[in-house]
């Protein structure tokens, strides 16, 4: 069975447009054929009934003709024949036959057959029971539809019969003529149907962008695979605000079962997210907007399908996941920057040492090597004792190398110590705070006459304390109140004003605080305070 279906499928045209035209045309031909056959049969039956009634009515007129009644009574076939033939010619009947009670003809279109028995065997009801009726039988002229009526005398006694007939072949000729008329109308209907089927097929083909069914099926499978593979939650709604698509990630973020069918339901029936439902219904695009969905802060993007009321699609992902990716990217960028700075710095040093050796200044080259080695090693020993945490020590060492590349005097306070750093504190937040404060200080002293940055760390008491001081111009009173807002900066250019904003956000996550004032070396002094005991429940 399957092989037969596949063989038939191969025989059919591949084009959807041709398939639709053939399908509609085939159905139309079938319907027109059935209707035409039923109508033709109805016409034939109606025509036979009408001709039968006509034959009976003519036969009744013949039976009431005085000349025919008198001829039957006296047996005068000449007068009966003359009267019958006159009636036959006047009514366009095929024959008008008059017979007596024995069935002997007194008239016939062929005079030679007068005096013979009436052929057909269908006159008994008229002669014996006195009924008038239509009958179809085979006579001497062939199959005919005849009306048979008894002829009565003045005393209402049956003295014979009158038969008026029409040949079946003549009736069939009329029926065929009517059938050809029906066929002509059917052909016109079919032509219009083919034209309409072509227009419908073209319109449907245009609506589906010229794609064939197998291409649509392939695109549907690809679309489901792509949407299922996306880690962002994706939902779409129709013009009435009902869900039409919910991918597995969206069901997971909304707290639903991965196999749950949410189509047809409103978003607020699934989760308390009225803001998202309202935004989807507004028909306006929305990018990177933070909203609360199912108790989590999500970064949402919305794109409408077209005009307002046509529906929209929304993608969203938890903000904490994006923050984690951002932190990881920032760490990689810092690591890359550290390697670049070290490469650049040591390349310069190697070139200098090579130059000193080439000119014979061996002692100066040796002194330079010892100075660089001792300074760097001294910082490493200090960090190993004061800051045993490798993550924090690593960022300080990286910023030290960055400062040397920028020709900035980076001083790590020898009184610093950070040995009581709780394990439950998020190291990513600590790196964000320390790294951005140092970067901000480096930027502040780039154009200053004195290029110095100081760092002090301590874990005395219940809090961690980070102090970053620079020798720049300090903080202007005009922006002091909004310094930690996104986009606020004391430096020109675009893409700035992010570092201190990230510091403030990281401190908020750790329930810490930060103050800014003027330091001892003339610039800004940032002091970040982080409680040691609050990280455990935030972890």
């Amino acid at each position: 069975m399957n092989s037969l279906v596949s063989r038939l499928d191969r025989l059919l045209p591949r084009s959807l447009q041709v398939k639709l035209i053939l399908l509609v045309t085939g159905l139309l031909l079938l319907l027109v054929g059935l209707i035409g056959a039923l109508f033709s049969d109805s016409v034939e039956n109606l025509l036979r009934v009408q001709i039968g009634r006509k034959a009976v009515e003519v036969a009744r007129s013949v039976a009431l003709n005085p000349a025919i009644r008198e001829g039957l009574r006296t047996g005068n076939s000449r007068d009966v024949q003359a009267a019958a033939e006159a009636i036959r010619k006047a009514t366009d009947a095929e024959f008008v036959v008059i017979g007596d009670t024995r069935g002997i003809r007194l008239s016939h279109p062929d005079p030679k057959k007068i005096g013979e028995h009436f052929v057909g065997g269908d006159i008994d009801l008229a002669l014996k029971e006195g009924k008038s009726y239509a009958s179809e039988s085979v006579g001497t002229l062939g199959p005919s539809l005849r009306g048979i009526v008894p002829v009565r005398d003045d005393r209402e006694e049956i003295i014979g019969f009158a038969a008026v007939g029409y040949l079946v072949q003549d009736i069939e000729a009329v029926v065929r003529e009517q059938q050809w008329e029906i066929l002509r109308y059917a052909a016109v209907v079919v032509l219009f149907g083919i034209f309409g089927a072509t227009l419908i097929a073209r319109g449907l083909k245009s609506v589906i962008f010229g794609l064939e069914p197998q291409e649509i099926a392939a695109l549907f499978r690809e679309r489901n695979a792509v949407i299922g593979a996306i880690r962002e939650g994706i939902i779409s709604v129709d013009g009435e605000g009902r869900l039409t698509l919910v991918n597995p990630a969206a069901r997971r973020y909304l707290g639903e079962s991965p196999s749950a069918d949410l189509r047809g339901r409103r978003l607020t029936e699934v989760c308390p997210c009225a803001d998202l439902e309202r935004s989807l219904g507004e028909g306006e695009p929305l990018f990177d907007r933070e909203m609360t969905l199912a108790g989590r802060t999500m970064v949402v993007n919305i794109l409408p399908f077209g005009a307002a009321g046509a529906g929209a699609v929304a993608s969203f992902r938890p903000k904490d996941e994006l923050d984690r990716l951002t932190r990881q990217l920032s760490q990689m960028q810092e690591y890359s920057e550290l390697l670049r700075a070290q490469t650049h710095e040591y390349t310069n040093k190697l070139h200098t040492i090579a130059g000193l050796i080439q000119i014979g200044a061996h002692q100066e080259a040796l002194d330079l090597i010892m100075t660089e080695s001792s300074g760097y090693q001294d910082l490493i020993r200090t960090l190993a004792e004061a800051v045993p945490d490798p993550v924090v020590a690593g960022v300080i060492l990286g910023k030290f190398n960055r400062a040397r590349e920028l020709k900035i005097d980076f001083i790590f306070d020898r009184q610093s110590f950070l040995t009581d750093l709780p394990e439950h504190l998020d190291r990513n937040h600590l790196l964000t705070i320390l790294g951005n404060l140092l970067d901000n200080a480096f930027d502040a002293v780039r154009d200053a006459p004195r290029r110095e940055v100081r760092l002090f760390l301590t874990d005395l008491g219940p809090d961690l304390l980070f102090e970053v001081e620079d020798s720049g111009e300090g903080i202007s009173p005009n922006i002091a109140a909004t310094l930690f807002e996104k986009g606020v900066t004391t430096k020109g250019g675009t893409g700035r004003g992010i570092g201190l904003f990230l510091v403030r956000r990281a401190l908020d996550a750790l329930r810490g605080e930060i103050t800014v004032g003027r330091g001892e070396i003339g610039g800004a002094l940032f002091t970040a305070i982080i409680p040691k005991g609050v990280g455990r429940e935030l972890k």
Side-chain angles (χ1 to χ4, degrees), residues 378-485:
D378 185 53
L379 177 61
I380 292 177
R381 285 193 300 269
T382 301
L383 288 175
E385 296 174 0
V387 186
D389 187 271
V391 176
V392 179
V395 73
I396 295 174
L397 187 59
K399 296 304 179 183
F400 174 79
N401 290 323
R402 177 62 174 162
R404 295 182 66 177
E405 183 188 33
L406 298 174
K407 308 300 182 184
I408 296 173
D409 188 10
F410 178 41
I411 300 173
F412 179 68
D413 196 316
R414 299 306 178 95
Q415 301 299 318
S416 299
F417 55 91
L418 203 65
T419 58
D420 186 20
L421 185 60
E423 289 293 332
H424 54 264
L425 281 180
D426 192 331
R427 296 305 192 266
N428 289 322
H429 290 325
L430 296 179
L431 293 182
T432 298
I433 296 168
L434 193 55
N436 282 289
L437 286 178
L438 288 173
D439 286 339
N440 185 72
F442 291 165
D443 288 339
V445 300
R446 283 193 180 188
D447 300 325
R450 178 184 178 187
R451 306 176 72 181
E452 182 179 336
V453 173
R454 297 180 180 180
L455 173 62
F456 173 72
L457 308 174
T458 182
D459 56 12
L460 282 177
D463 302 320
L464 301 179
L465 180 68
F466 297 168
E467 287 187 355
V468 178
E469 184 180 0
D470 63 69
S471 59
E473 297 179 356
I475 304 300
S476 171
N478 297 330
I479 66 169
T482 58
L483 185 61
F484 295 96
E485 294 182 5

Side-chain angles (χ1 to χ4, degrees), residues 37-56:
L38 292 174
F39 189 70
S40 175
D41 186 65
S42 299
V43 168
E44 182 177 1
N45 292 334
L46 180 62
L47 188 61
R48 286 178 179 273
V49 170
Q50 293 297 328
I51 291 176
R53 289 178 180 175
K54 179 181 178 182
V56 171

Side-chain angles (χ1 to χ4, degrees), residues 81-160:
Q81 172 73 359
E85 283 299 296
I87 294 173
R88 181 182 70 81
K89 294 177 181 179
T91 59
D92 200 26
E94 191 64 33
F95 62 85
V96 175
V97 175
I98 308 298
D100 58 18
T101 55
R102 296 172 301 166
I104 303 299
R105 302 190 190 99
L106 275 70
S107 69
H108 195 275
D110 184 1
K112 295 179 182 180
K113 299 186 183 309
I114 296 175
E116 297 179 357
H117 278 280
F118 184 78
V119 179
D122 53 351
I123 59 175
D124 290 343
L125 290 177
L127 294 176
K128 296 178 180 180
E129 300 180 18
K131 293 183 177 180
S132 300
Y133 52 91
S135 172
E136 183 174 345
S137 186
V138 179
T140 57
L141 299 178
S144 61
L145 182 62
R146 56 187 73 177
I148 301 176
V149 176
V151 179
R152 301 176 186 272
D153 58 13
D154 295 338
R155 293 176 297 177
E156 294 297 323
E157 293 182 359
I158 297 175
I159 58 175

